[in-house]
Amino acid sequence: MRTTAEFQGSVLNLRGVQVHSMEGSSMEQELDLFQKHVTERFLELSSVESRELLSLSWVRKLLDSLLSCQDEFRVILHNHRDQVSKHPSLDRMVGEFFERSVKALDVCNAIRDGVEQIRQWQKLLEIVICALDQKRSIGEGQFRRAKKALVDLAIGMLDDKESNSSGSIAHRNRSFGRNNNGSRDHHHGNNQHNSFGHFRSLSWSVSRNWSAARQLQAIGNNLSPPKANDIVATNGLALPIYTMSCILVFVMWALVAAIPCQDRGLGLHFSVPRQFLWAAPVVALHERIVEESKKRERKNTCGLLKEIHQIEKCARVINELADSLQFPLSEKKGEEVRQRVQDVSRVCEALKDGLDPMERQVREVFHRIVRSRTEGLDTHGRG
C-alpha cells in the first residue's frame, strides 16, 4: 500500500502535464488540497486489517469520509460558482454530478430499510440471550424459546438472501424527510422543509421492483475521466467533479455490498485511471470487497457487514449446541452454553453501539445531497 508521500509525484505529474496554465495559483493549491485530502481518507480506509473491513465501525469511517469530501467539494463549487455558470462544459459536468447524487437518495433509503432489518434480527438474538439467562436454571422450556427465536432468525435471513428483500420491507420504507424519532430536526430550518418536499417524489420510498444493482449502474453510468483539454479549459475544476463522482459511486456500492437491500448486486464495473492520487486505495478497497464476497462462507449472504456474518455464525453454533444437549445440563455443557450466550451478547452490543450512529450518518448523507442539489439549482437560477 502506498503512502501519501509516495503519491506526491503523481499529483505533480498530473498538474505539470495537464493543468500547467494554473501554475502557482491559489486555485491550484485548493484543488490539489482536495485531491490530497481524499487520498489520505481512503488510504486510511484501505489500510484496515481484514477482520475490520466492512465492520460497522469501518462503514461509519467510510461515511465520515464521504461527508468530509462532500463538504470540501461544496466549498470548491461555491468558491468558483461564477466560473461554473459561465463555462458550458463545467455547467454540464456539475449537472451530471447532481443527477448521480439524486439517484443515490434511493440507495440511502434502501440502506435505511436494511438497517431496520438488522435491528429485527438483533431483537431475535436478544430473545435468545433472555431465554438462556444464566442467572436462573436453564431447562428444556428455555431452550425451546431460544430455538424458536433462532428459527425465526434463520427464516428472516434466508428470505432476505433468496429475495434480496424484494417487497418484504420495501413497502415499509421511511423517507429521511419524515418527521419520525430520528429525524425531527430536519423540519426546523427555514427553507429545508420545502427543499425536502421537492425530492419526496424521487425518494420517498423504493418500489417493490426497485433494484439496488440497477440503481448503482445508473449512478455510475457514463462516468469517465475528463480529457486533458477539458481539465485545462476548466482550470482544473473538472478534476474534483470527477473525483467526487467516483467517490459517491464507490461509497454507494460499498453500502449495498455491506447492508441488506433489494436486489443487491456487486457487479458494478469500477475503473479509475491510476494517475489520480486516490485511485490506488479506492480500487484496492473495491478489489478487497469483491474478494470478500467470493469467500465460500460469504457467498449468497444477505450482506457482507462483519456483524451480519457474526449473527449467522452465533445462530448456527447455538442451534448445533441445542441439538446436542441432554437435560438436566452437566456443568461442562452449562459452561459451554454460557460462553455461547456471551458471544451473542457481544454481537448485540456491537449492533447497539454501531447501528444508530451509522443510520444517522446515512441520513446526513441524504440531506447533504438534497441541500447541495438545492443550492446548485439556486446558483443556476441566479446565473
Side-chain angles (χ1 to χ4, degrees):
M1 194 64 64
R2 292 198 283 174
T3 65
T4 305
E6 290 175 291
F7 275 100
Q8 288 302 105
S10 299
V11 71
L12 288 169
N13 181 59
L14 188 65
R15 187 172 69 212
V17 172
Q18 296 178 320
V19 202
H20 50 79
S21 62
M22 291 164 45
E23 197 70 43
S25 71
S26 61
M27 183 176 175
E28 176 188 20
Q29 293 172 358
E30 180 185 20
L31 300 187
D32 273 357
L33 200 58
F34 175 68
Q35 299 289 324
K36 180 175 180 285
H37 288 166
V38 172
T39 304
E40 288 172 345
R41 291 179 185 113
F42 280 86
L43 276 171
E44 183 180 355
L45 286 164
S46 65
S47 66
V48 72
E49 294 181 11
S50 294
R51 66 174 179 270
E52 288 304 312
L53 182 68
L54 294 166
S55 64
L56 275 169
S57 61
W58 184 87
V59 173
R60 287 173 59 190
K61 287 178 185 175
L62 178 71
L63 289 166
D64 269 338
S65 297
L66 176 61
L67 289 166
S68 298
C69 292
Q70 280 182 318
D71 278 344
E72 203 166 340
F73 178 68
R74 179 172 165 265
V75 170
I76 289 172
L77 288 187
H78 178 77
N79 289 346
H80 305 287
R81 59 192 181 281
D82 291 340
Q83 185 175 340
V84 170
S85 62
K86 291 174 183 175
H87 202 297
S89 65
L90 262 182
D91 191 58
R92 173 184 55 78
M93 290 176 194
V94 172
E96 287 175 352
F97 168 75
F98 282 138
E99 287 305 309
R100 294 182 201 282
S101 64
V102 167
K103 290 182 175 71
L105 296 178
D106 270 352
V107 177
C108 291
N109 272 334
I111 294 302
R112 174 81 182 278
D113 266 347
V115 170
E116 185 59 33
Q117 185 78 341
I118 296 171
R119 282 201 185 98
Q120 299 307 313
W121 301 339
Q122 178 188 337
K123 288 176 183 176
L124 291 168
L125 287 181
E126 287 169 351
I127 291 173
V128 174
I129 295 170
C130 183
L132 304 182
D133 184 358
Q134 298 297 317
K135 293 176 184 175
R136 59 173 185 248
S137 61
I138 303 174
E140 290 184 66
Q142 285 81 8
F143 264 96
R144 276 197 298 270
R145 186 181 174 208
K147 283 276 286 184
K148 183 182 184 307
L150 290 171
V151 168
D152 290 343
L153 175 62
I155 291 170
M157 297 185 89
L158 185 64
D159 284 347
D160 210 43
K161 289 176 188 177
E162 290 182 344
S163 65
N164 289 313
S165 304
S166 58
S168 62
I169 56 174
H171 63 284
R172 297 204 308 270
N173 196 310
R174 299 188 300 277
S175 167
F176 288 104
R178 282 194 187 177
N179 190 8
N180 53 38
N181 290 338
S183 54
R184 288 173 185 154
D185 55 318
H186 302 308
H187 291 283
H188 293 327
N190 291 333
N191 297 315
Q192 283 182 352
H193 183 78
N194 290 336
S195 299
F196 298 147
H198 175 71
F199 283 91
R200 281 177 181 172
S201 60
L202 295 174
S203 295
W204 182 256
S205 65
V206 292
S207 65
R208 295 192 180 197
N209 62 355
W210 182 84
S211 161
R214 287 198 302 269
Q215 196 75 356
L216 288 173
Q217 292 292 345
I219 296 170
N221 195 31
N222 296 323
L223 178 58
S224 56
K227 295 180 174 63
N229 58 337
D230 284 332
I231 296 173
V232 174
T234 62
N235 280 342
L237 280 172
L239 287 173
I241 297 169
Y242 174 71
T243 297
M244 197 64 227
S245 296
C246 287
I247 296 308
L248 180 73
V249 171
F250 173 75
V251 172
M252 292 299 120
W253 175 84
L255 286 175
V256 168
I259 308 294
C261 55
Q262 267 179 244
D263 190 29
R264 288 172 65 252
L266 306 186
L268 181 72
H269 178 65
F270 193 80
S271 176
V272 184
R274 290 284 177 168
Q275 70 262 34
F276 291 101
L277 287 113
W278 43 268
V282 172
V283 170
L285 278 171
H286 179 266
E287 291 172 352
R288 286 179 69 184
I289 293 171
V290 169
E291 285 305 308
E292 187 69 21
S293 72
K294 292 178 180 177
K295 290 181 179 178
R296 186 172 60 85
E297 70 273 18
R298 307 293 265 151
K299 280 187 177 180
N300 303 317
T301 187
C302 49
L304 294 177
L305 192 72
K306 172 190 169 185
E307 286 75 10
I308 291 177
H309 184 49
Q310 290 175 331
I311 290 171
E312 292 175 325
K313 189 175 177 181
C314 285
R316 183 175 65 251
V317 168
I318 289 190
N319 252 323
E320 290 171 355
L321 177 61
D323 290 340
S324 69
L325 293 178
Q326 291 183 340
F327 297 93
L329 292 180
S330 66
E331 187 175 332
K332 183 180 178 181
K333 282 295 181 182
E335 179 58 32
E336 189 175 353
V337 170
R338 248 190 305 278
Q339 290 175 357
R340 298 304 172 228
V341 172
Q342 285 174 359
D343 292 341
V344 177
S345 295
R346 279 192 285 270
V347 176
C348 283
E349 285 302 315
L351 294 173
K352 284 178 186 176
D353 292 341
L355 280 179
D356 285 353
M358 192 196 79
E359 185 180 24
R360 284 195 294 271
Q361 287 172 305
V362 175
R363 187 187 302 126
E364 183 59 27
V365 169
F366 183 100
H367 287 303
R368 295 268 186 100
I369 291 172
V370 170
R371 284 196 291 270
S372 296
R373 176 60 172 148
T374 304
E375 287 169 5
L377 290 171
D378 290 344
T379 301
H380 282 242
R382 285 196 298 271

